[in-house]
Amino acid sequence: MTTITPKGGIALSKRKLSSPTTLLGPVPSALVSCGRAGGEKNIITLAWVGVVNSSPPMASISIRPSRHSHGIIKETGEFVINIPTADQVLVADRCGTVSGKKVDKFRQFNLTAIQGTLEHAPLIEECPLNLECRVRQTILLGSHEMFLGQVEQVYLSGQLLNGRGRIGAHPEWLGYLGGQYFSVKSLGLSLGYSLK
Ligand SMILES: Cc1cc2nc3c(=O)[nH]c(=O)nc-3n(C[C@H](O)[C@H](O)[C@H](O)COP(=O)(O)O)c2cc1C
């Protein structure tokens, strides 16, 4: 590690890491579900998930081509981003350490697949927030291929909805940063609260 010393000569409290990494977060540790004709369904845990556009609403996921889910999503052009709560960390870790090549993760981890509006990719009922996405573009970046998906429908557990059909309550969400899991809580402050 190198200490950064600015021109004035005062040592900052910052230290530079030995190499650049994707140490950005906490990001959601999402359970991404997919499926193909014939009934096969799968789940992959992904931390490389992001919001990339507002209108139309779009999200990205990045997957190594060696993953079983990669082939399914490439073939069908559909995926669902299911956001788990912190108390679902065990299932997120399990879905991210075994492959659908060998295991039916829905059955093995007692998860319920429900059909939304996509033809092949089911929602995971146990996750309170689900975004159905259709692939619009893919970019092979290096280790991972990024799928840019247009969010076609969003589902939220009823107890989290407010009277205006929007998210009104927050559980502790599952986050991920630097190889560690986090519990991400709401501060109960809304955007613009500082202006009031
Ligand atoms: C917390 C966590 C985050 C992960 N993030 C990613 C990711 O962003 N991209 C990826 O390709 N694999 C990621 N993985 C690894 C896959 O989830 C793992 O290899 C999985 O077993 C692949 O499943 P599949 O072969 O059924 O598709 C992650 C695993 C964990 C536990």
Side-chain angles (χ1 to χ4, degrees):
M1 280 190 208
T2 319
T3 305
I4 304 169
T5 310
K7 277 191 183 141
I10 303 158
L12 296 174
S13 58
K14 297 286 182 192
R15 300 286 185 277
K16 193 163 68 176
L17 299 192
S18 50
S19 56
T21 73
T22 53
L23 193 61
L24 185 157
V27 290
S29 180
L31 296 179
V32 170
S33 47
C34 52
R36 54 162 57 110
E40 185 190 355
K41 303 181 282 299
N42 195 31
I43 304 170
I44 178 171
T45 303
L46 295 179
W48 294 175
V49 172
V51 175
V52 290
N53 200 47
S54 299
S55 182
M58 292 186 72
S60 71
I61 57 172
S62 288
I63 312 183
R64 286 185 186 267
S66 58
R67 312 294 190 218
H68 187 57
S69 309
H70 179 276
I72 300 176
I73 296 171
K74 198 85 179 173
E75 189 179 301
T76 62
E78 294 179 354
F79 60 91
V80 180
I81 303 175
N82 305 274
I83 306 294
T85 51
D87 60 7
Q88 293 175 315
V89 60
L90 179 63
V91 95
D93 197 66
R94 300 295 297 280
C95 288
T97 47
V98 296
S99 178
K101 276 177 210 152
K102 297 188 178 151
V103 166
D104 176 344
K105 298 188 210 181
F106 276 96
R107 188 183 300 183
Q108 181 102 3
F109 307 132
N110 280 322
L111 294 167
T112 316
I114 46 176
Q115 178 91 41
T117 57
L118 296 176
E119 196 181 343
H120 302 294
L123 318 182
I124 302 174
E125 182 168 28
E126 288 76 8
C127 292
L129 176 57
N130 323 83
L131 290 85
E132 287 185 328
C133 301
R134 198 175 293 282
V135 176
R136 293 290 174 220
Q137 207 178 322
T138 64
I139 306 172
L140 189 56
L141 297 167
S143 57
H144 290 62
E145 184 160 18
M146 182 167 68
F147 295 82
L148 296 171
Q150 184 164 339
V151 179
E152 299 211 333
Q153 302 294 337
V154 179
Y155 303 84
L156 198 58
S157 294
Q159 72 270 25
L160 301 181
L161 272 176
N162 65 20
R164 285 168 285 134
R166 291 174 176 265
I167 191 160
H170 287 273
E172 291 186 19
W173 299 105
L174 180 62
Y176 176 86
L177 173 65
Q180 293 282 313
Y181 295 108
F182 288 75
S183 171
V184 180
K185 289 191 222 174
S186 166
L187 293 174
L189 301 169
S190 304
L191 189 155
Y193 85 96
S194 62
L195 303 174
K196 289 180 189 144

